[in-house]
DNA sequence: GTCTATACCATGATAGAC
DNA sequence: GTCTATCATGGTATAGAC
């Protein structure tokens, strides 16, 4: 059945995120799906094949998410805020397991795994979508730089938040990113003194 | 011999960084040191014990690095620039394997490993040292926020650079961080138009 | 302190019955 | 399509000779 295949991929998707690719065994996935180990090879010829399926699923879900954000806001700035807010929406899993895309890429990079390019393509989807939003905001010249900047800051926030299990740091970073965005869009506050204008939240 | 113990830890340090903790086996370390597997347990009672040794070594090296930066620059701003520049100094390994501290913390967080706190303490060393520099620059109110901001951005830069194997992105982020620092210190340029004042590099 | 030999287990993967 | 049984490999860890 196709639904068995889908169930395997979904379970693997969750486990790869929670435990990492290498630390997730067939036995783990089998237990999660309620299937015997031997039966796996009817659906996937290897563990790497499951990884390919998981990445394909994540790319599909990412595409749907971006389409949803595009549909929810006509305003590019609102769309970008939707991106920033995934850090808040996924706060708890991020504190425990980091960013699903970033942590997988880090693991695959170390393993010199050929699926790294596929996994990094999820970053590219966000990058391209964000760049399009900045372009729509009249920042054609540095739209890609701004997109990468946002990606990098969200990655750093996720890494440190999970390393320290620090929820309030994550919340501050979200706020800081929103202020940065407002700043970028020309909605900058009146010049203020140093004390009232911390670089960390508005620069 | 104590030098054997040190050789094991140094080899493990390198391999844990290049391949990750889980993906490094005793056989790998043994081959790197030129020792038989069985002999390991004379020096370490388990793989986790080697990890503890590696983290202790990294904490020691980090302390020495911070002391060196403090000695090289009397100016706190120069010291902070030393921190930013590790991204340039370690450019090649970062492109291949990410940040040693960040990638280890990500792996240990997923494994729910009890050594995570120890590994994250290396972040704390950088954080405290950076905070002290910002305090010396008269930013006592938000010194810790600024320190965490710098840490987060360097983490994000390392993660994306390794995911994309993108050297020029890493170089741009280094430049952007330097501009951000100058901006923070009040050395901000004259107000400019949007096109000539990209948020990504100066905000 | 170093070695060989080995126990023991988890893993990825296969074969074949139902 | 699912199962049980099995294999081969590689991993951590131990025992004991030198």
């Amino acid at each position: 059945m196709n639904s068995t295949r889908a169930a395997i991929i979904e379970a693997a998707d969750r486990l790869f995120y929670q435990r990492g690719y290498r630390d997730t065994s067939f036995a783990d996935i089998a237990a999660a799906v309620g299937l015997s180990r031997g039966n796996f090879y009817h659906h996937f010829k290897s563990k790497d094949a499951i990884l390919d399926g998981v990445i394909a699923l994540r790319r599909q879900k990412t595409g749907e998410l971006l389409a949803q954000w595009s549909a929810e806001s006509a305003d590019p700035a609102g769309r970008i805020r939707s991106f920033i807010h995934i850090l808040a929406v996924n706060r708890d899993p991020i504190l425990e397991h980091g960013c699903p895309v970033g942590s997988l890429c880090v693991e695959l990079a170390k393993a010199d795994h050929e699926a790294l390019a596929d996994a990094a393509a999820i970053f590219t989807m966000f990058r391209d979508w964000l760049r399009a939003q900045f372009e729509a905001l009249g920042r054609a010249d540095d739209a890609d730089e701004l997109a990468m900047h946002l990606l990098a800051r969200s990655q750093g926030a996720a890494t440190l938040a999970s390393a320290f299990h620090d929820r309030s740091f994550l919340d501050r970073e979200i706020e800081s990113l929103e202020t940065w965005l407002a700043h970028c869009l020309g909605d900058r506050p009146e010049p203020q003194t140093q004390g009232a204008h911390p670089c960390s939240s508005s620069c």
Side-chain angles (χ1 to χ4, degrees), chain A:
Chain A
M1 261 209 288
N2 201 354
S3 72
T4 301
R5 189 190 151 90
I8 290 173
I9 290 187
E10 272 171 38
D13 181 26
R14 200 183 67 248
L15 288 167
F16 288 174
Y17 175 41
Q18 293 172 341
R19 307 185 190 178
Y21 176 63
R22 184 60 154 72
D23 254 13
T24 301
S25 69
F26 277 88
D28 293 331
I29 307 174
V33 179
L35 229 62
S36 77
R37 259 169 303 165
N39 195 17
F40 268 67
Y41 298 83
H42 225 281
H43 303 279
F44 299 93
K45 73 173 202 292
S46 71
K47 195 181 173 185
D48 282 348
I50 299 184
L51 176 61
D52 289 342
V54 166
I55 293 175
L57 175 66
R58 291 190 183 182
R59 292 172 75 162
Q60 181 206 318
K61 282 184 178 174
T62 301
E64 291 168 2
L65 186 65
L66 295 176
Q68 184 191 323
W69 289 345
S70 291
E72 282 171 2
S73 311
D75 174 28
R79 293 177 177 178
I80 297 171
R81 272 193 292 274
S82 294
F83 171 80
I84 294 173
H85 261 76
I86 43 174
L87 290 173
V89 172
N90 297 325
R91 190 188 282 113
D92 289 343
I94 286 172
L95 283 168
E96 270 192 276
H97 312 108
C99 166
V101 190
S103 57
L104 180 62
C105 283
V106 165
E107 185 176 1
L108 296 180
K110 277 197 200 297
D112 215 2
H113 199 291
E114 55 180 9
L116 171 61
D118 263 13
I122 302 177
F123 272 140
T124 304
M125 294 178 73
F126 283 107
R127 177 185 190 171
D128 291 347
W129 183 86
L130 285 169
R131 186 180 55 212
Q133 309 314 317
F134 282 112
E135 281 169 355
L137 288 167
R139 299 293 294 255
D141 283 350
D142 55 356
D144 187 58
E145 267 185 80
L146 294 169
M148 284 295 271
H149 181 85
L150 250 184
L151 271 184
R153 287 196 57 186
S154 65
Q155 281 304 300
T159 300
L160 283 187
S162 74
F164 286 126
H165 289 301
D166 187 337
R167 162 167 310 186
S168 65
F169 162 71
L170 190 55
D171 288 340
R172 282 197 306 274
E173 281 297 299
I174 294 167
E175 205 180 330
S176 170
L177 283 167
E178 282 174 346
T179 311
W180 170 84
L181 178 63
H183 200 179
C184 258
L185 304 183
D187 181 25
R188 42 192 83 186
E190 297 298 309
Q192 296 173 349
T193 64
Q194 269 194 3
H197 180 247
C199 265
S200 65
S201 57
S202 65
C203 294

